[in-house]
Structure formats: C-alpha cells, structure tokens
Amino acid sequence: MIQEIKYIDPTSLGKILAAIVFSFTLIILIPLEFLLVKNMIVRNSFSWSFIFFLAMLIIYPALGYILGVLIANFYNYFSKRIGGIEILIKK
C-alpha cells in the first residue's frame, strides 16, 4: 500500500536531528579531547581549543535542532502544494 507523508512535526524532527548531530559530535570530539588534554598536560599549558570543543557539544546539536525545524517547515509547506513523499508500506 502506497501512502504519502503529509505532515512532519517540526519539533519532533528537530529533536531527532539534534540527537543525531550530538551523537556524531561525541564520536568525533571525545578522542580529540583526550589528545588535547594529554597535550595540555605534557606542555603544562592551557589551550582554548579545549573550551571550543566543549562549546561545540552544545552549539552543533542546537544548530541541528534549528535545521530540523526548518526542514520540517519547508517540507510541510511544499507538500501541501506539490504533494508529499510517497512510501510503500507492507503489512
């Protein structure tokens, strides 16, 4: 049975996209943070990169949430005018 996606909740898509972006950011930044901390200990100095990486853990998911909301709103706007995505569902 072919069905059409007529509406996507912007908040829901925003939360999902923020969670995905947060997960990928953690996977990438955790090894970088360990290397940076190790380098800071060896050099006995402070690096602003450490603060920047921690800020990225907040900024990137926030941007992912905003992007998810925008994508859902654009989809809802255009799906009303030209039709939504058709998917095949089997029972």
Side-chain angles (χ1 to χ4, degrees):
M1 168 187 346
I2 294 181
Q3 293 186 348
E4 184 177 310
I5 300 174
K6 300 231 182 239
Y7 178 81
I8 298 176
D9 181 38
T11 306
S12 176
L13 184 62
K15 289 189 290 188
I16 292 296
L17 201 52
I20 291 170
V21 169
F22 181 73
S23 300
F24 282 117
T25 305
L26 271 181
I27 291 170
I28 293 169
L29 288 184
I30 285 178
L32 291 176
E33 286 285 342
F34 281 125
L35 291 174
L36 186 61
V37 168
K38 182 187 118 192
N39 194 20
M40 286 170 42
I41 291 170
V42 168
R43 291 185 180 188
N44 197 17
S45 66
F46 178 76
S47 174
W48 284 101
S49 299
F50 182 74
I51 302 296
F52 177 71
F53 285 155
L54 290 178
M56 285 171 49
L57 287 174
I58 297 169
I59 293 169
Y60 282 0
L63 292 175
Y65 177 81
I66 292 168
L67 185 63
V69 169
L70 288 173
I71 289 171
N73 284 322
F74 278 121
Y75 178 82
N76 294 334
Y77 175 79
F78 286 110
S79 69
K80 289 178 186 174
R81 281 143 187 81
I82 60 175
I85 297 173
E86 293 181 354
I87 57 174
L88 177 65
I89 298 175
K90 291 186 179 182
K91 290 186 179 185

